Amino acid sequence: MSDLAPRQIRSRADLIQYGRALDCVHCGLCLPACPTYDLLAREGTGPRGRVYLMRGLAEGEILPAATVLRDLDLCLVCRACEPVCPSGVRFGEMMEFCRAHILEPARPPGRGLRLRRFAARNIFNHPALLRALAAFFLLYDRLGLRRLLRTYGVLQYFSADLALRDAFLPRVPRWSERRRLPHRTPARGATRGRVALLEGCVAPFLLGRVNHATARVLSHQGFEVLVPRKHTCCGALSAHFGQLAAARAAALRTIDAFQALGPVDAVISNSAGCGAMMKDYGRLLEEAEGASAAEVRAAHGFAARVRDVTEFLVDQGIRPPPGRVEARVAYAAACHLAHAQRVTEAPLELLRAVPGLELVPLERADRCCGAGGLYNALHPRESLALLEARIQDLKRSGADTLATANPGCLLQWSAGIEREGLAVEVVHPVELFDRAMR
Amino acid sequence: MLPLERLRRIVGAEHVLLAPEEMFAYECDALTWLRRRPAAVVLPGGTAETAEVVAALSEAALPFVARGAGTGLSGGALCPEGGVVIETARMKRLLSLDPWNRFALVECGTPNAEVSRAAEPHGLFFAPDPSSQNVCTIGGNIAENAGGPHTYKYGATARHVLALTAVLPDGRVLRTGSPLADPPGYDLAGLLVGTEGTCAIGTEATLKLTPLPRAVETLLFAFRGVADACSAVQRVISSGLEPCTMEVMDGATIAAVEASVNAAGYPRDAGAVLILEFDGGDAAVAESAERAERLCRELEVLACERARDRAHRLKLWKGRKGAFGAMGRLAPDLLVQDAVVPRSRLPEVVARVLEIGREHGIRMSNVLHAGDGNLHPNISYDRRDADETRRVLAACAGILQACVEAGGTLSGEHGIGLEKRDYMSLVFGEEDLERMRAVRDVMNGRSLLNPDKVLPAREPKTP
């Protein structure tokens, strides 16, 4: 294809990505799956249009101008377009590549950009920064600052977007829920194996209860649980921001930290986004320039052992729990579990294994809630519009509990439910199972 | 000059797109070899806004075109030179549904399948089912008089549109038709269906809903080649059986589908598969399916399968409906050709089509709505390769010529658009074309709306 070689392709990785853009024949079957096309209706806010824009950028037909940045940034990377694409376009990878190599260098300089890059590179990799942020949120909440500002509409006075962002600010739980997991949790009953568990970067501060429930359930199910001593971020949020170098560094650190634990049957994640990232480490490093063959091999080997906690438990066979949980539960599929990892049945099976629990159908159960990594902080208006539609679906379902298997989604649904004043509890499926084990 | 301020006032600034990069995304529909970048794209939120937008463009003497989901295959939504795209994607409200009188009133940007989804709890459905039905809009269906596999039994879109609200190219609003039986006056709704967006822009449609059949039986037969499958079709029809659909796919299509997410379990070693479906009352459907199975088994069938349940049936259909998109695995671009012949001539025409493909050295796979004699040769190519593109277009010309010679015509359901405009004289005389132009001119006298589509320009008069 020498005489057809397009412009602006400078590396092997470029070519790979470009080839993927050519998989798209513009049929449009992806459009109904796309939350932002549904909301915004512009061609550039749907997968077909975004692939076309990426192709245009690769071929030099268009420049990464403001509207291109806007429409490609508005993508949630929920990847709902992938399972419905008859051509098998690997949209998530294309978007990640495009953000890293085409959009990032084209961003207009300024304070916003510096802050964005600093956040993407550092926050999740430095526990001290995360602790400081958590402390700020805690004080903001506990000192009544949030209530004060909300009551008098102070933030609204400065900027409508700021007030919207406030709605998404997570509530920091009490200290007891922010305990880290022990390095080792022994198996209970007949031992079935040993697993390693990823605590995550944000989860220990905001959703420690989910980590504790996960460890308890694994232990009760006969698995010894090991947790790396050093805090690790899997790199998903950096990759999401197009900071591939930071993501790769995080990947290598994570692999090291887990290798130090010795041999395990599986690496478990209770976060859909982290699981999806870790399962993709092989490719992430393969496409990196400068990654050694040994690193790529290690990444593939590591990725092959990664399992979502629900997937793992169902694969191993669930030991029936002794207790009951009386709840009407709606399950909302996290995008990176359903679309990226294609794990759709396991969470439902885990919930069905809980005696007394009634699963109620949720309309558009695999539609994005608008969390999308830090989408709600970057695009509060769109995020809220997506969330509000989902909250209406939740109301119609008549559920008293909403289960979803990703930290971002748990926080997003909680924020939406609080705004709407609903009496619905938001939990990880594994927490419900945990309650039935007591 | 673009009446920018006025357009922004009408629809809101965020719904008027102007940036060159945004225009790039609108340069084509699903027929990617025809491309023209619009000067602007406007997204109105309803009939009133559409009328105001059209009035503003008309006063500025700017050409414009309506576009739905951009899934058209004949370039129907391609923007006129220097013109404006009126995009209906925001107009997707289901305005009312009357199960007792069996109709739904929807905005024209509503995707086809949404109508059936809303009607299903009432035991009803909207019958036209183009392969892109999850995406393509009612407005586009009406413009193209779209069909689909079940057109064989239920008829194309024209038979399912009861009333229409449309914006004329000067901004006036036309309301025509009625959900009542045989309304008086000229049937302008009937006239507008199939005019491919050259007479008016549909904004709201009252659609006929059909009761869901009590029973459905879906059968899949595998054959050595397309000719055998076509013989089976003839045999089923001449025996007096009344299937609701008869779909044939050739070996190349089977391979692409089975490699895709929509893998339906078609036998990979078959040269063709035939999907037969019967719907209606329980006893009649069961008996018809038995008879069809016996009839086809008398031919050289490689395999025969009956859908076990609803899930299995949907899977068989998903493969068929995703066939077009699955071709993306073969080459960067795809041209879905569309022509019709009397179904009795199908076997010989299909053979001729394959021969034409070989003569031009192009990659072709075939999907047929065999009951309707409707062929869809899918041609995979790379539009950046000028020589291959030329050969593809030459093959298309040959295919259309062959179909017309066999007593057929230029299109079964995808429309003429810009792609086939210059072939119209193969099937119409100058006087026929002139009457059609006259009808268009009554609605669209200044030819501002979708100006260069469907009808070739008048031949210059010799003095």
Side-chain angles (χ1 to χ4, degrees):
Chain A
M1 57 177 276
S2 58
D3 58 324
L4 299 170
R7 284 160 282 167
Q8 290 204 1
I9 289 187
R10 301 193 185 101
S11 71
R12 192 179 72 93
D14 292 10
L15 265 179
I16 295 168
Q17 301 302 328
Y18 183 67
R20 284 177 196 147
L22 295 182
D23 281 344
C24 174
V25 288
H26 224 241
C27 73
L29 294 193
C30 50
L31 295 178
C34 180
T36 57
Y37 184 77
D38 186 41
L39 182 69
L40 302 163
R42 293 195 299 269
E43 184 70 12
T45 60
R48 177 183 63 189
R50 286 177 176 137
V51 168
Y52 207 74
L53 290 174
M54 289 191 259
R55 178 176 177 167
L57 289 168
E59 289 184 333
E61 285 272 345
I62 54 168
L63 295 170
T67 57
V68 178
L69 286 173
R70 178 197 63 196
D71 286 349
L72 293 183
D73 279 342
L74 276 169
C75 174
L76 292 143
V77 202
C78 71
R79 296 169 66 178
C81 49
E82 289 187 34
V84 297
C85 173
S87 272
V89 171
R90 288 151 77 171
F91 184 89
E93 290 172 31
M94 289 180 64
M95 189 52 101
E96 188 185 273
F97 174 87
C98 185
R99 282 186 177 169
H101 293 274
I102 302 175
L103 305 187
E104 260 320 289
R107 290 190 193 285
R111 203 157 46 112
L113 182 67
R114 284 199 299 278
L115 188 67
R116 182 190 158 96
R117 288 192 179 151
F118 175 80
R121 283 180 193 147
N122 295 306
I123 290 188
F124 312 108
N125 293 315
H126 291 98
L129 271 174
L130 275 172
R131 264 197 297 276
L133 268 179
F136 167 74
F137 292 154
L138 192 72
L139 289 176
Y140 179 68
D141 224 12
R142 299 288 153 82
L143 295 180
L145 209 55
R146 182 199 291 248
R147 218 174 59 200
L148 197 72
L149 294 181
R150 275 192 194 174
T151 313
Y152 294 102
V154 177
L155 295 173
Q156 194 73 39
Y157 177 79
F158 287 108
S159 131
D161 275 6
L162 200 61
L164 286 180
R165 287 193 175 97
D166 170 65
F168 291 118
L169 272 193
R171 295 197 181 274
V172 179
R174 53 179 192 275
W175 288 111
S176 63
E177 284 188 19
R178 278 180 285 150
R179 293 188 330 269
R180 295 285 306 270
L181 285 176
H183 171 57
R184 177 177 169 275
T185 308
R188 298 252 190 119
T191 302
R192 291 204 276 174
R194 173 192 290 157
V195 297
L197 175 63
L198 177 88
E199 282 188 287
C201 46
V202 182
F205 298 100
L206 299 177
L207 292 160
R209 59 184 169 88
V210 178
N211 280 343
H212 285 276
T214 306
R216 273 196 302 271
V217 167
L218 285 166
S219 158
H220 273 95
Q221 290 284 315
F223 297 94
E224 181 186 353
V225 182
L226 301 180
V227 175
R229 283 185 206 281
K230 268 192 73 180
H231 173 276
T232 41
C233 168
C234 67
L237 287 167
S238 300
H240 211 81
F241 271 101
Q243 298 290 333
L244 288 184
R248 281 165 189 147
L252 290 174
R253 275 198 305 275
T254 305
I255 294 169
D256 278 348
F258 278 87
Q259 260 167 1
L261 297 175
V264 291
D265 301 323
V267 174
I268 306 289
S269 169
N270 56 22
S271 151
C274 306
M277 179 78 262
M278 293 195 296
K279 285 181 176 181
D280 214 14
Y281 274 177
R283 183 193 61 82
L284 184 73
L285 286 166
E286 209 167 80
E287 290 176 8
E289 283 160 33
S292 74
E295 283 171 342
V296 170
R297 233 186 355 262
H300 276 295
F302 177 85
R305 276 179 294 139
V306 176
R307 295 284 180 281
D308 184 74
V309 60
T310 62
E311 184 187 17
F312 180 76
L313 289 171
V314 168
D315 280 354
Q316 298 290 320
I318 297 170
R319 285 182 186 165
R324 286 175 70 79
V325 175
E326 305 290 342
R328 286 167 59 78
V329 180
Y331 172 69
C335 298
H336 282 78
L337 196 57
H339 310 314
Q341 299 187 49
R342 312 266 168 112
V343 174
T344 51
E345 280 305 305
L348 291 166
E349 273 190 53
L350 188 71
L351 290 171
R352 281 191 209 106
V354 175
L357 187 153
E358 185 195 350
L359 260 180
V360 298
L362 176 69
E363 275 174 68
R364 298 182 289 179
D366 61 353
R367 177 54 65 98
C368 183
C369 61
L374 291 178
Y375 193 86
N376 51 17
L378 295 168
H379 307 283
R381 256 183 309 170
E382 289 78 9
S383 178
L384 197 60
L386 294 169
L387 178 60
E388 271 172 357
R390 305 312 326 280
I391 292 291
Q392 295 314 313
D393 290 337
L394 173 64
K395 271 186 175 168
R396 276 193 293 274
S397 77
D400 58 29
T401 308
L402 181 104
T404 186
N406 187 54
C409 312
L410 286 163
L411 298 174
Q412 177 88 346
W413 279 98
S414 301
I417 284 164
E418 185 184 333
R419 262 178 72 94
E420 190 76 13
L422 300 181
V424 176
E425 191 192 9
V426 183
V427 293
H428 192 290
V430 98
E431 289 181 87
L432 291 170
F433 194 86
D434 177 47
R435 286 175 202 175
M437 307 218 48
R438 291 178 188 173
Chain B
M1 260 270 289
L2 191 68
L4 188 54
E5 280 317 309
R6 188 165 160 195
L7 292 174
R8 283 182 171 151
R9 253 201 326 276
I10 298 166
V11 297
E14 73 269 37
H15 298 126
V16 180
L17 316 183
L18 289 169
E21 295 78 18
E22 292 179 298
M23 300 305 103
F24 174 70
Y26 286 93
E27 70 175 4
C28 60
D29 54 19
L31 180 75
T32 52
W33 71 269
L34 287 173
R35 299 186 294 281
R36 278 198 303 233
R37 289 183 204 178
V41 177
V42 184
L43 294 94
T47 302
E49 285 186 15
T50 308
E52 286 183 59
V53 167
V54 167
L57 295 173
S58 165
E59 281 167 36
L62 279 172
F64 50 93
V65 65
R67 181 185 193 269
T71 55
L73 293 160
S74 57
L78 193 73
C79 188
E81 214 63 67
V84 175
V85 168
I86 298 175
E87 166 63 63
T88 62
R90 287 178 63 219
M91 297 161 47
K92 53 185 175 186
R93 281 173 298 181
L94 187 86
L95 299 171
S96 68
L97 197 150
D98 183 340
W100 174 232
N101 292 303
R102 289 185 184 159
F103 67 82
L105 174 62
V106 303
E107 288 189 314
C108 281
T110 307
N112 170 302
E114 287 297 320
V115 181
S116 288
R117 215 160 285 145
E120 196 187 347
H122 308 284
L124 301 167
F125 77 116
F126 179 58
D129 62 338
S131 294
S132 55
Q133 71 187 120
N134 280 321
V135 193
C136 63
T137 64
I138 291 298
N141 291 174
I142 290 172
E144 305 297 326
N145 189 19
H150 288 80
T151 300
Y152 178 59
K153 174 170 178 178
Y154 293 99
T157 304
R159 281 178 45 188
H160 304 273
V161 176
L162 301 171
L164 196 57
T165 300
V167 174
L168 295 170
D170 57 5
R172 281 178 299 174
V173 176
L174 169 73
R175 291 177 209 279
T176 174
S178 148
L180 302 174
D182 195 18
Y186 285 6
D187 179 12
L188 294 183
L191 174 71
L192 287 175
V193 177
T195 50
E196 303 194 26
T198 61
C199 289
I201 299 177
T203 54
E204 290 168 30
T206 307
L207 305 172
K208 180 175 148 186
L209 300 175
T210 305
L212 282 163
R214 273 204 310 281
V216 184
E217 277 280 5
T218 309
L219 299 104
L220 178 82
F221 298 96
F223 296 94
R224 259 206 303 274
V226 176
D228 287 356
C230 290
S231 309
V233 168
Q234 277 185 343
R235 201 160 173 137
V236 167
I237 292 177
S238 55
S239 75
L241 282 170
E242 285 290 334
C244 57
T245 174
M246 312 185 83
E247 295 288 300
V248 172
M249 279 168 276
D250 70 359
T253 308
I254 295 168
V257 168
E258 289 303 310
S260 79
V261 284
N262 296 326
Y266 304 147
R268 283 166 189 260
D269 52 348
V273 292
L274 165 67
I275 300 179
L276 272 190
E277 193 165 274
F278 295 93
D279 68 4
D282 301 278
V285 165
E287 197 224 317
S288 299
E290 293 284 332
R291 269 184 63 202
E293 197 171 333
R294 263 201 318 278
L295 276 172
C296 289
R297 278 189 189 282
E298 287 166 20
L299 296 165
E300 292 207 40
V301 189
L302 298 179
C304 168
E305 197 179 356
R306 218 190 261 215
R308 290 178 299 278
D309 48 28
R310 183 183 150 89
H312 189 199
R313 180 167 71 247
L314 292 180
K315 192 174 165 194
L316 291 177
W317 277 114
K318 230 177 151 187
R320 165 61 192 85
K321 300 223 162 181
F324 163 26
M327 303 300 170
R329 288 161 191 278
L330 307 180
D333 292 282
L334 179 74
L335 194 148
V336 183
Q337 198 38 271
D338 171 38
V340 188
V341 295
R343 60 186 172 230
S344 56
R345 307 283 300 270
L346 264 184
E348 60 184 286
V349 172
V350 170
R352 177 73 193 116
V353 166
L354 291 171
E355 199 179 299
I356 292 170
R358 277 192 300 274
E359 282 165 14
H360 291 87
I362 56 169
R363 287 170 284 180
M364 194 188 336
S365 46
N366 278 278
V367 174
L368 290 83
H369 302 307
D372 287 321
N374 192 342
L375 297 88
H376 289 317
N378 296 307
I379 305 171
S380 298
Y381 69 108
D382 187 337
R383 72 183 190 217
R384 296 165 303 167
D385 183 337
D387 177 60
E388 188 180 22
T389 307
R390 191 189 47 74
R391 283 183 281 123
V392 166
L393 297 181
C396 286
I399 290 168
L400 292 175
Q401 186 75 44
C403 290
V404 170
E405 278 166 15
T409 191
L410 302 175
S411 166
E413 52 190 10
H414 298 171
I416 298 301
L418 187 56
E419 182 205 7
K420 294 181 182 166
R421 182 193 63 194
D422 297 334
Y423 294 103
M424 285 290 270
S425 53
L426 287 180
V427 284
F428 294 106
E430 188 50 32
E431 189 48 38
D432 307 333
L433 290 172
E434 192 47 40
R435 286 309 100 204
M436 290 191 225
R437 289 185 196 110
V439 169
R440 181 195 59 196
D441 291 349
V442 169
M443 306 272 185
N444 185 16
R446 293 160 71 205
S447 246
L448 285 177
L449 174 58
N450 217 3
D452 55 355
K453 307 287 173 64
V454 188
L455 303 173
R458 289 186 175 90
E459 282 169 11
K461 282 202 183 82
T462 38

